[in-house]
Amino acid sequence: MTVGIVMLVHTALGRAEQVARHWARGGCPVVIHVDRNVSRKTYDAFVARLQDEPSVLFSKRHRCEWGSWGLVAASQDASELMLERFEEVRHVYLASGSCLPLRPVEELVEYLAHRPRTDFIESATTADVPWTVGGLDHERFTLHFPFSWRQNRYLFDKFVELQRLVGYKRRIPGGIVPHMGSQWWCLTRQTLSAILQDPERPSFDAYFRRVWIPDESYFQTLARLYSTKIESRSLTLSKFDFQGKPHIFYDDHLQLLRRSDCFVARKIWPHADRLYESFLTDPNRAMSRQEPNPGKIDRIFAKAVDRRTRGRPGLFMQSRYPNYGWENGLTAGKYSVFQGFSELFEEFEGWLGRATGAQVHGHLFAPERAEFAGGQTVLNGALSDNALLRDANPLAFLTNLLWNTRGERQCFQYGPRDNPKINWHMSRDPNAQISVISGAWAVPLFKSNANFADLRATAAKLQKIESRMLDELRSPDVKARVRIWTMAEFIESPMEPLQVIIDEIGQKSLRRLAEAPRLENLNGFGQFLQNLKNQGMHPYLMGDFPVDPAPRNTRSGPRKPYLIKK
């Protein structure tokens, strides 16, 4: 007794010929079905090349489209021919032209000889199947599908919607419970012949002809009626990605395939010469005689799926962009955003760089240009300071900057004059540390010598913009580390919040600084705010700022050096 191989072939006929000869020379008869979409000339040449193999036969051809009944009809005709012409066959193994035997043929024959009554076919009810992709589980058995999902997707979807709308449901033939599973099975002669010779087969065929993807449910359902022992698994290693598309194996998967201990794998890239040479011609190709266990490599596939769907933090990928929420972290590293600090303190950027050792930029999203640290016009990764290029995609600009400078903490200034579109992205980024002194944008206005009417209009505009920014930063969806102070409460005790911010950045070890950052001279600022109020503009974001503040030291701390604690 031996194993018969049914091969469904539609492309790469040269490789299919190579594999068919391998099966035949291992003592397994082969019946090949060639897709009717293959030209007659190509088909005849293929048949002629295998005329020297008497145990290789060809079955009636059907047109096989993905998810169509033709795949079931092809399997039926080829299996009937196998059972009729080769009486010594005990098991029939369904494979495709892209399948590759991973272990010697004699090992498969011996393995099945020790399990003469066992059918290897993945078969689970729709309630237990976790891998369906496309939104149709039990409905694939109760609706009609006259349109091709691939060629007429619009009509397919609309007809499904119409059937749902009118409440249409097909009757499932009595005595069967729909099951699903992998198309690639290995059935005993007894079970397979019972399916093919069942008196009820015409009604079963008529029903499944209108089921969606019947090749994954026809044999899987009917095997439950006749099999005395089912192992609900396939002996073929076949992995699928998160979209339901099969993984393709290449030459660099050689060791991975060896570790699986499986008898057959699909899909093999037709040009994977190393794989075909290793498993079909290498006399030392035999692996350990262990139970096939594709679970041994599931961890590697899980990592591949995770890398494809989530990627590396801060690096966008074709497979997940531009799907909102698919990113595995918006950015590649932690960074700090300061709003109002450079307006309130003199030379704040230089002081922050000395205090933290981080790379401190100016206003990266300023209207005129991106103010890179040190006045650079081009930064790591060939990022230009051109505002038009930056504003074409502000999020991409930020993620690229942090990806190309990863390993070095980045700090930059931000405010209501800058591009507001990046504010929401930063607010939902867990890597962002955002510190805001609200109302500090009024200090440059106070120091300017512009007409007061123009100052009033500008102040009203900036306050409106910053108010929207603060609303976004206070949203319950915010994931950034956000701290907000009004200008009035910050200047009352500036050293404590500065100390917290420096400690959180944590780029340098304990050190003493010569001096604290120096506050801008704010004498008369309170009266400036009152003048705005008198003109009808209410500057409320600054907090309760006194009109005539008592004289005070314009430093934010004592003149003597102070300790920045780690």
Side-chain angles (χ1 to χ4, degrees):
M1 304 296 286
T2 187
V3 179
I5 308 298
V6 171
M7 292 179 61
L8 305 183
V9 178
H10 71 281
T11 186
L13 302 188
R15 288 301 189 191
E17 176 189 352
Q18 187 179 359
V19 173
R21 291 185 184 277
H22 177 80
W23 286 119
R25 291 169 184 176
C28 294
V30 180
V31 174
I32 301 176
H33 173 273
V34 180
D35 193 334
R36 195 172 179 181
N37 290 309
V38 176
S39 69
R40 185 70 190 187
K41 180 180 179 181
T42 303
Y43 171 74
D44 290 342
F46 180 51
V47 173
R49 291 198 302 271
L50 284 169
Q51 287 298 316
D52 59 330
E53 293 287 353
S55 60
V56 176
L57 302 179
F58 290 84
S59 64
K60 177 184 176 182
R61 300 174 68 190
H62 296 268
R63 195 174 302 279
C64 299
E65 297 181 6
W66 181 87
S68 70
W69 172 255
L71 290 167
V72 177
S75 303
Q76 290 174 329
D77 287 347
S79 298
E80 287 179 329
L81 182 60
M82 174 69 72
L83 297 178
E84 176 187 346
R85 297 291 295 273
F86 301 102
E87 296 181 356
E88 70 277 13
V89 168
R90 183 198 301 109
H91 279 86
V92 176
Y93 196 117
L94 181 65
S96 75
S98 62
C99 287
L100 177 65
L102 303 183
R103 295 168 66 167
V105 176
E106 56 270 20
E107 286 191 17
L108 174 62
V109 174
E110 179 183 349
Y111 180 85
L112 294 175
H114 286 90
R115 297 159 179 81
R117 307 284 290 180
T118 303
D119 295 289
F120 295 91
I121 180 168
E122 199 170 49
S123 175
T125 61
T126 55
D128 301 323
V129 172
W131 61 81
T132 54
V133 175
L136 294 173
D137 292 327
H138 189 69
E139 282 183 318
R140 65 181 63 199
F141 299 105
T142 59
L143 301 180
H144 272 294
F145 301 95
F147 303 106
S148 169
W149 183 82
R150 285 193 170 179
Q151 296 182 6
N152 296 291
R153 181 66 181 273
Y154 177 80
L155 293 178
F156 180 95
D157 290 340
K158 289 301 180 182
F159 196 67
V160 168
E161 291 178 8
L162 177 62
Q163 292 178 86
R164 289 171 175 171
L165 183 65
V166 301
Y168 175 80
K169 287 187 178 181
R170 297 179 64 200
R171 186 183 65 84
I172 299 176
I176 67 171
V177 177
H179 283 65
M180 297 170 57
S182 171
Q183 174 188 358
W184 313 109
W185 42 256
C186 179
L187 297 176
T188 62
R189 170 182 283 269
Q190 178 179 348
T191 300
L192 185 57
S193 61
I195 294 174
L196 298 176
Q197 298 169 10
D198 191 319
E200 298 295 324
R201 177 180 163 183
S203 63
F204 291 153
D205 287 3
Y207 168 73
F208 279 99
R209 190 180 295 273
R210 291 291 179 260
V211 167
W212 191 42
I213 318 180
D215 53 295
E216 294 182 355
S217 58
Y218 179 84
F219 290 97
Q220 293 76 5
T221 298
L222 298 184
R224 290 289 176 179
L225 299 179
Y226 310 108
S227 178
T228 58
K229 183 179 181 181
I230 285 183
E231 285 276 349
S232 185
R233 61 188 174 100
S234 174
L235 296 179
T236 300
L237 175 64
S238 181
K239 293 294 183 179
F240 296 86
D241 64 13
F242 73 103
Q243 294 176 314
K245 298 179 180 179
H247 283 289
I248 298 177
F249 294 101
Y250 299 92
D251 281 337
D252 52 357
H253 291 120
L254 175 60
Q255 296 306 319
L256 181 72
L257 293 175
R258 288 188 183 278
R259 288 175 55 191
S260 71
D261 293 323
C262 291
F263 289 108
V264 179
R266 76 174 303 270
K267 282 183 157 185
I268 308 298
W269 187 46
H271 303 290
D273 297 332
R274 185 183 178 194
L275 294 183
Y276 281 95
E277 180 179 355
S278 297
F279 290 112
L280 297 186
T281 63
D282 184 0
N284 299 316
R285 69 187 183 279
M287 298 186 291
S288 58
R289 293 175 178 265
Q290 298 184 18
E291 184 74 17
N293 185 14
K296 291 167 59 176
I297 61 175
D298 281 348
R299 176 177 55 85
I300 298 175
F301 282 92
K303 283 186 175 181
V305 171
D306 183 72
R307 176 58 59 88
R308 182 177 177 192
T309 55
R310 292 175 57 79
R312 287 173 283 181
L315 185 64
F316 284 101
M317 301 166 54
Q318 174 272 338
S319 57
R320 59 192 175 95
Y321 183 83
N323 297 302
Y324 179 82
W326 279 34
E327 65 275 350
N328 180 16
L330 287 174
T331 51
K334 295 186 179 299
Y335 60 99
S336 300
V337 183
F338 295 89
Q339 183 167 327
F341 286 78
S342 60
E343 289 79 9
L344 190 58
F345 292 102
E346 296 178 2
E347 299 181 355
F348 175 76
E349 296 162 19
W351 175 85
L352 183 63
R354 293 190 299 272
T356 63
Q359 181 165 240
V360 182
H361 306 279
H363 286 258
L364 286 180
F365 295 92
E368 300 81 13
R369 57 180 290 269
E371 299 173 358
F372 294 134
Q376 302 174 76
T377 58
V378 178
L379 201 68
N380 305 40
L383 281 178
S384 169
D385 67 344
N386 185 281
L388 290 177
L389 292 176
R390 177 202 64 201
D391 292 341
N393 193 333
L395 177 59
F397 175 85
L398 178 62
T399 55
N400 285 336
L401 182 144
L402 295 170
W403 175 262
N404 289 298
T405 58
R406 58 193 184 278
E408 182 181 19
R409 181 68 172 244
Q410 303 297 306
C411 303
F412 61 90
Q413 317 306 311
Y414 189 63
R417 289 184 176 86
D418 300 340
N419 189 332
K421 294 180 180 179
I422 195 63
N423 187 64
W424 172 243
H425 295 296
M426 294 190 300
S427 69
R428 67 186 185 93
D429 185 1
N431 283 330
Q433 174 198 34
I434 304 176
S435 304
V436 180
I437 303 175
S438 67
W441 45 264
V443 175
L445 297 181
F446 162 67
K447 294 171 60 180
S448 70
N449 194 28
N451 294 329
F452 197 82
D454 296 334
L455 293 178
R456 176 187 174 282
T458 303
K461 176 182 178 181
L462 295 178
Q463 180 165 255
K464 186 176 182 180
I465 295 173
E466 186 172 60
S467 179
R468 288 197 298 264
M469 288 180 170
L470 295 178
D471 289 341
E472 290 180 343
L473 294 177
R474 293 185 175 112
S475 167
D477 297 324
V478 167
K479 297 180 180 179
R481 179 69 174 91
V482 178
R483 297 184 180 90
I484 302 174
W485 304 270
T486 64
M487 183 176 166
E489 66 182 352
F490 190 91
I491 63 176
E492 285 297 323
S493 179
M495 291 313 302
E496 182 178 348
L498 283 174
Q499 184 72 67
V500 172
I501 293 170
I502 297 300
D503 288 347
E504 188 170 279
I505 294 176
Q507 289 288 105
K508 283 194 173 185
S509 57
L510 288 171
R511 62 166 296 171
R512 290 181 179 273
L513 296 178
E515 60 181 357
R518 184 187 297 270
L519 277 171
E520 294 283 359
N521 188 344
L522 298 178
N523 291 334
F525 184 71
Q527 185 60 50
F528 171 74
L529 297 181
Q530 184 60 46
N531 292 340
L532 289 175
K533 293 180 181 179
N534 295 339
Q535 293 292 324
M537 185 267 168
H538 181 58
Y540 61 90
L541 291 180
M542 297 77 179
D544 188 15
F545 210 96
V547 176
D548 293 311
R552 59 171 289 149
N553 186 355
T554 57
R555 290 180 177 271
S556 63
R559 291 181 180 272
K560 63 181 181 179
Y562 68 93
L563 181 65
I564 296 292
K565 297 179 180 179
K566 181 71 175 173

